[in-house]
Amino acid sequence: MKLLIKGGTLINPDHKKIFSADVLIIDQKIAALDHNLEIDGAVVYDVGGKLVLPGLIDLHAHLREPGFEDSETIATGTMAAAKGGFTSLACMPNTNPVADNSSVIAYILYKACQEGKVNVFPIGAITAGSKGEQLAEMADLKEAGAVAFSDDGRCVSNAAVMYRAMQYARMINMPVIDHCEDTRLSAQGAMHEGYYSTLLGLKGIPAAAEEVIVARDLVLAGETGCRLHIAHVSTAGSVQLIRQAKTRGLKVTAEATPHHFTLTDREVTGYDTGTKVNPPLRTLEDVNAVRQGLRDGTIDVIATDHAPHAQEKKEVEYDNAPFGISGLETAVGLVWTELVNTEILSPLEAVEKMTINPARILGISKGLLAEGADADLTVIDPARTEIVDPAKFVSKGRNTPFAGRTLAGVPVLTIVGGKIAFEYAG
Amino acid sequence: MINRKNLIGLQHFDPPEIELILDTAVAMKEIVSRPIRKVPTLRGRTVMNLFYEPSTRTRTSFELAAKFLNADVINISSSASSVVKGESLKDTVRTLEAMGTDIVIIRHPMAGAANLLAGWTGAAVINAGDGAHEHPTQGLLDMFTVREKKGALEGLKIAIIGDILHSRVARSDIWGFLKMGARVSVCGPATMLPIGIERTGVDVYCNVDKALEDADVIIMLRIQLERQKAGLFPSLREYARLFGLNRERLSLAKKDALVMHPGPMNKGVEISGEVADSLQSVINEQVTNGVAVRMAVLYLLIGGGDA
Amino acid sequence: MPEKMRQKAQILDKEGIRRALVRIAHEIIERNKGTEKIALIGIQRRGVPLANRLSGYIREIENKIIPVGILDITLYRDDITTLAHQPILRRTEVPFPVKNQKVILIDDVIYTGRTVRSAMDAIMDLGRPNLIELAVLVDRGHRELPIRADYVGKSTPTSSKEIVEVRLQETDGQEGVFILGEG
């Protein structure tokens, strides 16, 4: 099988280069990058005027399988990923059962191999059942294929447990990803604590709930030497803490989600449960700080925190609705519209944060656009615009606060392992 | 005129709309004072009281208001409905709507429930209290009571004292009185003053004596014991000492200041029995006026939908 | 009111209104053999000043004070739940018991009779009068209910496309009864 991707502008974040070339794919590998390639028997895709990127990697997604197949499955979640321009994703272990043992990891990998449209890299739990008490069998998980550890959805509340988890993860050279939330401070909160929670009468989640744990984790990472990755940074205070830690040379990385660099707590007015997410949408000041953090490199990664929910679960009282936004199918458009077209990030910087940076954190040989690399490619049309229509989502989760928004930058072709995983049909 | 189908909160009402409701309530109060308290206005219309929270006072007030206007009234409370069986609000509403309801009055422990309901039903929706969000008819009856006593609302100084954080009454009162040109102060323990409340335009105090200074109206809020368990204040004793309204404190306000309370009261905690029963207290009149104000709201909302 | 309505005729001027009301005052006294137990209730809005004037004329004639009440019939209208916007409620103030009284309803114009029907229901809710009579300044015909006025200032045949407009000093700042029509 030969594919020839002709006429595009290539972005290679590994070497920080933007150049024009054709890409020849033979079977599962990139065979050649050169000008004016003409290959007999190749299927040709003309991508003139479009950007050819190494396949995008989502470091933070929830595929819900096993256990919550009414909200998403590995099949539908990876289909949504392909449509959103992602060729790889790392999935969080808060399934049922929790991915805290090698057999759940094996199950996920098997299903992904059978039904997945994109590469799936499972993340193992930090603690058994993600209960925050006993360490999960991390070495076993690693051997089974886990690429990182996290109790995402929950915070490892007990500092002693987190301390040991980091020591242990350091021993096997694996990163720990923490969902930073002091659950006593956030207790029963439904949105950011501020002016809008006051108006709406909803219980607030203070910024401090995130920041005290970010600070704690940074101290523990410094003590243990563990590679720490802070998930979904949402507050100005967290950005500042991470910035300072990086200045001190700490091995810490961080991610931000499209909703946290785009939306404020004002969106909750009207009680649209599509806006209910954890960490919550924060203030304009926080949004601007997250953008600044992305710009100055404090925040290394853009991840979706794709958290699909079946419609009926979100069609309830705001307090009763589960947290989460279905993010895979809007991420590229939001990155381009909110960060690239506003010149907060250059196209190269944006692509770094969705390819080579997450690949390095997870230690996977992805995010490369070079001869001999895996043939994972994403082609996006930066000139095309689309209106977000949840009814057209292929994810089972249509829970989005972005419905009706016009986004510029549309993934038009997604190639995974030399095969077309998604092609834009208009 | 009222160009709306629903009464969700006073935040989004305009002063002329509020004025119209209060004026209409004047006419309704005349009916309430008659020997035969019944007019045929809503004959053949069905009003549903959908209560997910126990509330004898508000439910009865709405029920009387609807009955005085000759509507048929259905009462559904959470203990008697399928809510306890795990049916979602949406399904409950669809079922009840299929029975043919013109107005749904909803009381719910969660903020935003009335908003949701309004999106799901073609019936008019009246919010009878949703979580800590709003309780617009209580705000209206407070304004009605004050206007009746003071002649006008503009320029009055209103002091709202207590657990502002959890109070939907405080929010409706704040919006309503501010829109009608009154000055509003809120006062309570720092742990019960919600963040950013000053952005609504109120003055914020932790010192109750300052808040009471020159007040024309004092609205005391109920303090709930479970807030102590949640660690929001140390003890009822200390709360009463710092924030309770007694005769000495009352003397800091204007001589003819009105004392109000949405009820039910904890006498001896947020308000002394002496003050609650004093001539300055209009707490009982609030209850009577509640029926008139709710009749006005029912009357004004039943028309808006058809054209 | 449709646009392009213009004044077609004036059927009563200030003096005409006065004369009609004085005549009605005499008729009320005559038919009731005096003024005992008589109470006037004006229907909002223009029935109210008419009732006040009638009370004044009766007082001039008989030197007796006749009580006057104000009635808003909005809540008794039979079309109330079908209107696009709810009419503004006006004051109802009947400061005397109607029980065993001779209540005379006062309105400016009688047309379909529905307002009077509503007014009678409203009065019944206040108590049981001995009798109810009706006085109007203008009867323009087109009744839809079996109701007639006991005292009429002026009967005028009209087309249903026309409008009869009564203007009074107290409510409109001028006096006169006009017929408005298209073209």
Side-chain angles (χ1 to χ4, degrees), chain A residues 193 195 198 271 315 317 320, chain B residues 90 108 110 133 171 195-196:
Chain A
E193 181 181 80
Y195 177 60
T198 292
Y271 302 95
E315 281 183 338
E317 299 84 341
N320 281 345
Chain B
K90 187 171 189 178
H108 199 287
M110 293 174 192
H133 176 222
R171 284 167 180 78
I195 289 182

Side-chain angles (χ1 to χ4, degrees), chain B residues 18-65:
Chain B
I18 294 173
E19 194 96 48
L20 175 60
I21 296 171
L22 299 183
D23 289 345
T24 305
V26 173
M28 293 300 183
K29 192 166 179 183
E30 183 271 324
I31 292 165
V32 176
S33 65
R34 290 181 191 175
I36 300 172
R37 297 181 291 180
K38 200 131 194 150
V39 290
T41 317
L42 298 187
R43 195 177 49 186
R45 296 293 169 136
T46 303
V47 171
M48 183 195 299
N49 268 323
L50 184 58
F51 273 58
Y52 285 81
E53 239 181 23
S55 160
T56 316
R57 192 177 284 250
T58 305
R59 190 186 54 72
T60 311
S61 181
F62 269 112
E63 189 172 348
L64 281 177

Side-chain angles (χ1 to χ4, degrees), chain B residues 3-304:
Chain B
N3 263 321
R4 309 172 183 264
K5 192 167 77 65
N6 310 308
L7 174 57
I8 306 294
L10 295 184
Q11 186 190 351
H12 302 293
F13 267 64
D14 303 325
E17 292 177 302
I18 294 173
E19 194 96 48
L20 175 60
I21 296 171
L22 299 183
D23 289 345
T24 305
V26 173
M28 293 300 183
K29 192 166 179 183
E30 183 271 324
I31 292 165
V32 176
S33 65
R34 290 181 191 175
I36 300 172
R37 297 181 291 180
K38 200 131 194 150
V39 290
T41 317
L42 298 187
R43 195 177 49 186
R45 296 293 169 136
T46 303
V47 171
M48 183 195 299
N49 268 323
L50 184 58
F51 273 58
Y52 285 81
E53 239 181 23
S55 160
T56 316
R57 192 177 284 250
T58 305
R59 190 186 54 72
T60 311
S61 181
F62 269 112
E63 189 172 348
L64 281 177
K67 285 184 168 166
F68 289 171
L69 291 171
N70 226 325
D72 296 318
V73 182
I74 306 170
N75 284 312
I76 295 179
S77 54
S78 58
S79 58
S81 72
S82 50
V83 178
V84 285
K85 292 171 207 152
E87 191 177 71
S88 73
L89 177 62
K90 187 171 189 178
D91 290 340
T92 304
V93 168
R94 288 267 163 82
T95 312
L96 299 176
E97 200 184 22
M99 300 172 184
T101 303
D102 299 294
I103 298 186
V104 184
I105 295 156
I106 181 170
R107 159 68 65 96
H108 199 287
M110 293 174 192
N115 281 65
L116 276 180
L117 181 60
W120 292 334
T121 177
V125 173
I126 299 174
N127 182 5
D130 62 327
H133 176 222
E134 280 222 44
H135 189 356
T137 57
Q138 178 74 43
L140 288 165
L141 79 88
D142 287 350
M143 282 187 274
F144 181 87
T145 306
V146 173
R147 197 180 75 161
E148 196 175 50
K149 294 285 171 191
K150 299 282 179 191
L153 299 175
E154 203 174 340
L156 295 182
K157 190 180 168 193
I158 317 288
I160 306 173
I161 296 168
D163 181 1
I164 311 293
L165 177 64
H166 297 96
S167 177
R168 52 194 171 212
V169 174
R171 284 167 180 78
S172 289
D173 277 338
I174 287 169
W175 290 123
F177 281 109
L178 284 177
K179 279 170 194 282
M180 301 313 285
R183 284 173 53 212
V184 179
S185 307
V186 299
C187 175
T191 48
M192 297 186 185
L193 290 172
I195 289 182
I197 190 75
E198 70 285 351
R199 283 173 65 186
T200 59
V202 299
D203 299 317
V204 183
Y205 296 95
C206 287
N207 181 332
V208 76
D209 294 354
K210 288 242 169 64
L212 287 173
E213 228 165 73
D214 289 327
D216 295 287
V217 176
I218 305 161
I219 300 173
M220 299 304 299
L221 301 174
R222 178 180 169 78
I223 185 74
Q224 297 193 316
L225 192 56
E226 59 254 40
R227 309 296 176 213
Q228 181 188 337
K229 288 179 195 144
L232 289 168
F233 66 95
S235 68
L236 287 178
R237 186 178 150 275
E238 178 153 313
Y239 182 87
R241 195 170 65 76
L242 289 182
F243 298 99
L245 185 65
N246 51 34
R247 181 162 292 280
E248 299 79 70
R249 285 226 167 95
L250 181 56
S251 68
L252 297 168
K254 288 212 179 118
K255 286 276 164 276
D256 58 349
L258 303 176
V259 175
M260 303 172 71
H261 193 298
M265 282 179 280
N266 298 306
K267 284 190 190 172
V269 184
E270 72 261 8
I271 188 165
S272 73
E274 190 185 17
V275 169
D277 301 331
S278 72
L279 289 173
Q280 282 171 264
S281 161
V282 289
I283 295 167
N284 288 329
E285 289 173 60
Q286 285 176 275
V287 178
T288 315
N289 292 339
V291 178
V293 163
R294 289 175 177 121
M295 286 171 78
V297 170
L298 288 169
Y299 167 74
L300 290 169
L301 289 185
I302 198 85

